[in-house]
Amino acid sequence: MAETVASALERFFSTATYPIVFAGAGVSAKAGLPAWRDLVEQLAEGLRRFDPLTTQQMLECLRTGALTLAADYYKLSPKMLDGDKQKLLVNLLSTYDASAIRGVAELPARGYLTTNFDRSIFDAIAASRHVSARDFKYGDSSFKQAHWEESLFVARIHGAVEMPQEIVLSESQFKALLTDDTYTDLLRVCFVHRNVLFLGFSFYDPAIRHVFEELDRRFGSASSGRHMALLPSNTRSEFSQRGHRLNIEIVEYDSTDHHAALWNGIAKFNAERRSTTTGSVASRVSPFDFTKRYLAACYARAKSQSSATPLREAVVEGIISAIAQEAAPHAISRPNLLDKVRQTLGVRGYEVEVTVDAAIRALVDAGL
């Protein structure tokens, strides 16, 4: 089964133009943090000495699977100070072993979305990549910039342990979240314009259930083959059905032995990728090769035009020509071309479409 996961990861990352890893509670659980049910149960027990009746109500909700309703009871209990509630939550999320999830951090993703509140993925990224990921957390004013970020980032879309008062845990908070344009804009950008790998989720996780319901409601069926979900084979059928409706490729693995097939598959993929990218010196690609190719194409295009043509237009036409040559002998779709030009020039929004369309017309008129 590890081979199945490894081959799925190879297929996803070899075709993704902008890969994003969407990490669920299973990733933090691997680092030793409590999963959703365990977290709410520990909150209930922490409340017991202040409000034993509410504790029993929470445990009854857990018995029936109403995890977010149990969190509502915790949030609304008047017998424990809000500061003490937040302190308990922070304590439960502060001890972990980030080395256990280094494999996730090593995946060649350009960003991470997560429904988790802790910082384990940041520590894992720092240890494995030796860089610091940009930090975007729901409730912070910078969160609205996450969908513009081009460098490596982590977006904790349901809040962060550093801001416990903003953590989204209860049913009422989830309902309010789905009316927040900043939140839904990030989902839209990632799901419509990027390639998302869902990892560490189960249908019993209310956080991902709310995300999938919102994606389904807002976007319905998306373009085929853009996304992938690695799910345990015992996942509820309705979760898989919703994934298929959203054109998410579902790859199932055996969840026995604490999801060993998943973690071994990730390790296998990373090992194979390292062996491929650290070959002999003669076979390595210089980090400046693509830059040289772009500059050569831009220079050639500038020399082939009249002196009256603005340099900016010549450069854009040269970049587009280089991108087309890089894709040869295959074609490149307009969305992928726009994405590559956007990344190269740092141009965003409608401006890049106008610029690219004008450049393509000029190249066609010149017979190129």
Side-chain angles (χ1 to χ4, degrees):
M1 289 296 287
E3 289 75 12
T4 300
V5 171
S7 62
L9 290 172
E10 170 61 30
R11 189 166 64 253
F12 175 80
F13 284 107
S14 64
T15 58
T17 56
Y18 199 125
I20 298 289
V21 170
F22 200 152
V27 174
S28 288
K30 176 67 173 175
L33 287 154
W36 247 91
R37 176 178 291 277
D38 295 332
L39 177 63
V40 177
E41 184 175 3
Q42 290 176 42
L43 291 175
E45 292 302 333
L47 180 65
R48 185 182 291 278
R49 69 188 181 93
F50 300 96
D51 191 348
L53 179 59
T54 298
T55 293
Q56 290 307 120
Q57 291 174 311
M58 290 178 67
L59 294 177
E60 178 60 22
C61 288
L62 290 176
R63 190 185 66 79
T64 60
L67 275 64
T68 52
L69 181 58
D72 261 324
Y73 279 118
Y74 179 77
K75 183 178 176 62
L76 294 172
S77 173
K79 297 184 179 181
M80 185 178 183
L81 295 176
D82 287 346
D84 290 334
K85 292 177 186 176
Q86 294 168 12
K87 184 177 180 180
L88 173 59
L89 182 58
V90 169
N91 288 340
L92 292 174
L93 298 172
S94 297
T95 303
Y96 52 80
D97 176 15
S99 64
I101 58 170
R102 284 189 61 167
V104 176
E106 289 178 20
L107 293 173
R110 295 183 57 178
Y112 292 79
L113 299 186
T114 181
T115 56
N116 302 325
F117 318 119
D118 59 88
R119 293 193 56 84
S120 60
I121 190 65
F122 288 96
D123 293 351
I125 289 172
S128 61
R129 298 199 189 193
H130 306 291
V131 297
S132 177
R134 293 292 305 275
D135 182 7
F136 298 103
K137 43 188 176 285
Y138 183 79
D140 186 76
S141 59
S142 66
F143 184 76
K144 60 186 176 183
Q145 300 299 321
H147 66 279
W148 295 114
E149 186 58 49
E150 293 294 330
S151 58
L152 181 65
F153 72 93
V154 175
R156 286 175 284 177
I157 65 172
H158 292 163
V161 67
E162 302 95 308
M163 302 169 61
Q165 70 279 7
E166 301 292 342
I167 284 179
V168 178
L169 200 63
S170 67
E171 186 70 22
S172 58
Q173 287 175 305
F174 274 112
K175 289 179 179 178
L177 183 68
L178 298 181
T179 65
D180 188 329
D181 289 340
T182 302
Y183 174 80
T184 55
D185 281 349
L186 180 58
L187 290 183
R188 176 185 56 78
V189 167
C190 289
F191 192 71
V192 176
H193 299 294
R194 298 176 181 177
N195 310 90
V196 181
L197 175 69
F198 294 89
L199 178 68
F201 289 108
S202 79
F203 195 74
Y204 298 100
D205 181 341
I208 190 57
R209 191 172 71 247
H210 279 84
V211 169
F212 265 50
E213 287 172 355
E214 179 65 6
L215 290 174
D216 195 6
R217 184 177 72 84
R218 284 183 175 264
F219 312 125
S221 182
S223 56
S224 180
R226 288 185 60 84
H227 314 291
M228 178 181 290
L230 301 179
L231 298 176
S233 54
N234 60 352
T235 301
R236 284 184 177 181
S237 60
E238 57 262 39
F239 188 85
S240 296
Q241 290 169 3
R242 179 162 286 155
H244 286 304
R245 167 172 160 69
L246 293 169
N247 280 315
I248 300 171
E249 180 186 353
I250 305 295
V251 177
E252 295 186 350
Y253 63 87
D254 185 354
S255 61
T256 57
D257 195 18
H258 304 288
H259 302 266
L262 172 65
W263 299 108
N264 291 340
I266 291 173
K268 179 177 174 62
F269 167 76
N270 285 330
E272 291 173 350
R273 180 169 165 267
R274 282 194 297 271
S275 67
T276 301
T277 56
T278 56
S280 64
V281 174
S283 66
R284 290 178 188 166
V285 177
S286 166
F288 298 106
D289 280 357
F290 290 117
T291 303
K292 290 177 181 177
R293 202 175 307 167
Y294 275 20
L295 290 175
C298 293
Y299 178 76
R301 185 56 180 148
K303 296 295 287 183
S304 70
Q305 292 183 318
S306 70
S307 59
T309 303
L311 180 60
R312 182 173 187 258
E313 292 181 12
V315 170
V316 172
E317 291 165 17
I319 288 172
I320 291 174
S321 178
I323 291 172
Q325 292 174 50
E326 181 186 328
H330 304 291
I332 183 169
S333 67
R334 184 173 181 275
N336 286 345
L337 178 61
L338 290 172
D339 190 53
K340 285 181 178 290
V341 173
R342 187 179 292 113
Q343 294 169 32
T344 302
L345 297 179
V347 180
R348 295 167 177 165
Y350 180 67
E351 182 184 355
V352 73
E353 298 187 31
V354 175
T355 303
V356 168
D357 289 343
I360 290 174
R361 283 195 298 271
L363 291 168
V364 170
D365 291 343
L368 299 176

